[in-house]
Amino acid sequence: MASPSPTSDVERLAQGIRAGDRTVLSRAITLIESKRADHRSTAAALTQVLLGATGKAVRVGITGSPGVGKSTTIDALGSMLTRQGHKVAVLAVDPSSWRTGGSILADKTRMARLATDPNAFIRPSPASGTLGGVAAKTRETMLLCEAAGYDVVLVETVGVGQSEIAVADMTDFFLVLVLPGGGDELQGLKKGVVELADMIAINKADGDNLPRAKLTAAEYGAALHILKPVSANWSPPVVTYSALKGDGIEALWTRILDHRQKLTASGELAARRREQQVKWMWAMLEERLFAPLRSDRAFKAALPKLEAEVAAGRLAPATAVEKIAEMLEL
Ligand SMILES: Nc1nc2c(ncn2[C@@H]2O[C@H](COP(=O)(O)OP(=O)(O)OP(=O)(O)O)[C@@H](O)[C@H]2O)c(=O)[nH]1
Ligand SMILES: [Mg+2]
């Protein structure tokens, strides 16, 4: 029997995705995450075919340190949104997943309501690759979810530096979750992350935590006041809420929509999306160009020694690059 042509494969997958078939969507995402070249090219053809059906979702990035309540927040916000008639996709960028082989992010067991919600689709972080590779796969997955009719995409990442930038770069709104602090110090205030934030939300503003949450909010408010807002049309608000009790969840969404309305009117949202598309292209090209290098045996074997020599100051970085270029016949 003749094997099916790649084109008909792509067409069949595209049809299933357009029809919102979750099984087909999952299968297509598996192709995106695959290392096989033929899978990758099918996946690329698929995103191209579906391109016209993408881009319509509200894309929200969510970050915060472990235990801040990301899963609880996504569960509460997501189920509120599906009740309102939205279809919600939850994705993740977990830079540690390639080492641990599994993702703690977008873990269904911690999102009990959404996990069984027919209008929610949860996909954990791709489990292998560099941060750039993982982020690229999550972006492609986001496009497929949009084509499948998910009109809200929540992308989760844990606050460990580079991954926040990757997620801010693929979303329209970047939400930073913070714990009520002890008072005088802005715990978790990494300047870079605060600069990325479109809103800072202090979670666990309930019970005994309430006064501390208010205090923390005031401190962040003062800190943000000093920073020049990135947009003339949006000053990132600082709010308090309780994911556990659901207090303030609706207000989070109202702010997100308010931001959307203002930045759509000013054209900034469209500009942000345009810039992101071009950035994605470059990031993917970089990944593609580096891939053969990373898998080159001679290079991998020589790398530790070269790095050690450079670190010790015995080998000039430029000389090391020359040697590598020679080795790879660049
Ligand atoms: N009091 C209170 N506890 C909360 C709230 N939100 C989350 N928690 C608790 O905080 C703990 C961590 O919540 P998660 O939602 O798992 O936090 P996370 O940020 O997803 O954690 P990681 O996935 O480990 O990074 C759990 O025990 C939650 O029940 C809240 O609003 N109030
Ligand atoms: Mg979690």
Side-chain angles (χ1 to χ4, degrees):
M1 202 173 85
S3 66
S5 77
T7 317
S8 70
D9 253 13
V10 170
E11 270 313 318
R12 241 193 328 271
L13 286 166
Q15 251 171 35
I17 289 172
R18 283 202 193 93
D21 184 326
R22 302 166 67 106
T23 314
V24 177
L25 176 60
S26 294
R27 198 152 15 104
I29 297 171
T30 307
L31 291 180
I32 284 178
E33 293 175 351
S34 171
K35 286 199 178 74
R36 273 175 50 179
D38 60 329
H39 287 170
R40 272 226 313 245
S41 67
T42 305
L46 186 60
T47 38
Q48 183 62 43
V49 166
L50 291 171
L51 203 58
T54 68
K56 296 185 185 78
V58 181
R59 302 169 175 171
V60 180
I62 299 178
T63 194
S65 43
V68 68
K70 295 180 294 298
S71 302
T72 314
T73 301
I74 290 169
D75 199 44
L77 179 62
S79 30
M80 182 198 85
L81 291 170
T82 59
R83 276 198 305 278
Q84 292 178 0
H86 292 284
K87 279 181 76 182
V88 179
V90 180
L91 312 177
V93 173
D94 181 357
S96 68
S97 59
W98 65 278
R99 259 179 276 131
T100 57
S103 176
I104 49 158
L105 294 175
D107 178 352
K108 291 187 188 185
T109 57
R110 301 227 223 152
M111 292 184 254
R113 275 175 291 177
L114 272 194
T116 57
D117 191 327
N119 288 313
F121 180 82
I122 304 177
R123 183 84 182 190
S125 180
S128 72
T130 58
L131 171 60
V134 169
K137 287 166 189 169
T138 304
R139 277 195 305 263
E140 300 295 290
T141 298
M142 176 166 76
L143 297 179
L144 295 192
C145 290
E146 289 180 339
Y150 292 87
D151 62 343
V152 179
V153 181
L154 307 175
V155 187
E156 178 188 7
T157 195
V158 76
V160 291
Q162 289 303 100
S163 67
E164 286 121 322
I165 299 175
V167 170
D169 274 347
M170 68 175 84
T171 49
D172 305 325
F173 190 96
F174 194 63
L175 170 60
V176 177
L177 307 184
V178 174
L179 285 171
D184 48 18
E185 129 208 28
L186 295 180
Q187 42 88 36
L189 182 120
K190 286 176 279 173
K191 193 159 168 281
V193 174
V194 171
E195 278 169 355
L196 293 174
D198 293 305
M199 171 160 65
I200 291 181
I202 324 293
N203 187 24
K204 310 198 184 183
D206 47 45
D208 293 346
N209 282 327
L210 202 54
R212 281 199 299 148
K214 297 273 181 220
L215 192 63
T216 308
E219 287 175 348
Y220 273 91
L224 279 185
H225 202 70
I226 303 167
L227 289 175
K228 190 178 175 305
V230 178
S231 162
N233 301 295
W234 186 254
S235 305
V238 180
V239 301
T240 60
Y241 76 107
S242 167
L244 203 60
K245 296 195 158 177
D247 297 342
I249 289 287
E250 208 172 322
L252 292 183
W253 185 245
T254 305
R255 300 275 189 164
I256 293 169
L257 292 183
D258 184 27
H259 171 271
R260 193 165 197 80
Q261 195 249 321
K262 292 202 166 88
L263 272 70
T264 300
S266 68
E268 285 169 280
L269 193 68
R272 183 164 168 165
R273 288 266 183 113
R274 279 197 300 271
E275 279 166 31
Q276 287 177 341
Q277 312 260 70
V278 177
K279 264 197 197 173
W280 294 0
M281 182 193 80
W282 281 106
M284 288 175 87
L285 183 60
E286 242 176 75
E287 271 299 303
R288 178 68 76 88
L289 291 176
F290 270 107
L293 194 139
R294 286 198 194 90
S295 57
D296 187 281
R297 276 175 197 220
F299 172 69
K300 277 208 286 200
L303 194 59
K305 188 155 174 280
L306 282 170
E307 275 186 343
E309 299 262 291
V310 170
R314 282 192 295 275
L315 193 64
T319 316
V321 170
E322 285 305 318
K323 278 178 186 264
I324 293 167
E326 224 170 88
M327 191 188 305
L328 298 170
E329 294 168 13
L330 293 175

